[in-house]
Amino acid sequence: MIGHLMFWFLMDKIGAAARKEDELRQHPGYGKVRCPSCRGWVLPKELERKGCYLCGWKEGAEPGTARA
Ligand SMILES: [Zn+2]
């Protein structure tokens, strides 16, 4: 009986962890970094290579002067 309860207790814990993971994946910022200029979520690889696709910020440029 105790074993049975433990099983469902653990299953519940695992299910909660999986739901948490799903929430993280659905988050707009999952796997992304925030652009230091416009605070938008961008892929770190893209930010590094092409700069922010939202505001045009590029690493090394001063925030807010990318389009100058
Ligand atoms: Zn930006």
Side-chain angles (χ1 to χ4, degrees):
M1 193 59 189
I2 297 294
H4 184 79
L5 282 174
M6 273 305 282
F7 172 77
W8 286 112
F9 175 77
L10 286 172
M11 284 305 279
D12 190 55
K13 287 271 176 231
I14 291 162
R19 279 195 298 277
K20 187 90 186 150
E21 181 71 18
D22 273 357
E23 271 171 44
L24 281 174
R25 277 182 205 282
Q26 279 162 20
H27 190 272
Y30 181 78
K32 296 180 179 175
V33 293
R34 282 204 124 155
C35 168
S37 177
C38 70
R39 315 304 290 163
W41 293 105
V42 287
L43 291 167
K45 214 163 43 175
E46 247 175 59
L47 193 66
E48 206 176 283
R49 274 216 316 252
K50 296 181 281 184
C52 175
Y53 74 98
L54 294 166
C55 71
W57 180 88
K58 232 176 167 339
E59 183 133 36
E62 285 296 310
T65 62
R67 288 205 191 276

